[in-house]
Amino acid sequence: HHPGPFHGCFGQAQVAPRPATRPSAVVSLGVGLAAPAAQAFAVRVRESGLAPAWTSSLRDLAHGSFLALTPGAWIVAFALADQVTAVRAQLAHLPPDLSLAVLAEPSDDAVGALGLFGQGLLTLDDALRGFGVAPTRADVPDWGARLYRAVLD
């Protein structure tokens, strides 16, 4: 059995601890090569119906996005090796009623960026299982299903 060309990106993937209770909102943070994984995480959180979710950067968070944080929110930061120190320093300023998680990769290149996707998928899967939430919502209205299937280009 050959594990495939991207095995190195996901073989070391870690699962971030989930909050003790279902989050009131989820904010995924990521900049540079970490941003696509953060965006994908927020999209999948919304698709599951776990909680309202959006993506931000550390700069946007500091410049006012923090005002939208509610008690019980889960902040999930995605960081490559060269970003981890700044991310942890920024998160240290947040209040204790928020759940914090940092998904980090030991490299700062495309392999690390792919690794963050893997960590995000595993972390979300763990949270959905832990809170008893299906990966996709069963109660999507008909108009939402039509919107999803609409040809966009």
Side-chain angles (χ1 to χ4, degrees):
H1 176 265
H2 179 54
F6 299 108
H7 176 72
C9 301
F10 304 108
Q12 304 294 323
Q14 301 294 313
V15 174
R18 68 177 174 267
T21 59
R22 188 169 172 168
S24 59
V26 176
V27 180
S28 58
L29 300 172
V31 297
L33 289 176
Q39 183 68 35
F41 186 81
V43 167
R44 283 170 180 74
V45 169
R46 289 192 302 268
E47 287 175 345
S48 72
L50 174 66
W54 66 93
T55 306
S56 186
S57 68
L58 291 173
R59 185 174 308 282
D60 287 344
L61 189 70
H63 285 267
S65 290
F66 67 88
L67 295 170
L69 296 176
T70 57
W74 186 22
I75 311 303
V76 182
F78 292 76
L80 297 173
D82 60 347
Q83 302 168 330
V84 173
T85 301
V87 167
R88 290 188 190 284
Q90 188 85 354
L91 295 180
H93 297 289
L94 294 175
D97 60 354
L98 303 175
S99 296
L100 306 176
V102 177
L103 298 175
E105 278 291 319
S107 66
D108 57 4
D109 57 11
V111 172
L114 285 173
L116 289 176
F117 272 99
Q119 288 192 52
L121 290 171
L122 292 173
T123 296
L124 182 57
D125 181 64
D126 178 69
L128 295 176
R129 289 175 192 268
F131 297 122
V133 176
T136 58
R137 294 182 64 156
D139 61 344
V140 174
D142 288 340
W143 65 266
R146 288 190 304 274
L147 182 65
Y148 181 81
R149 289 192 279 291
V151 177
L152 301 176
D153 356 83

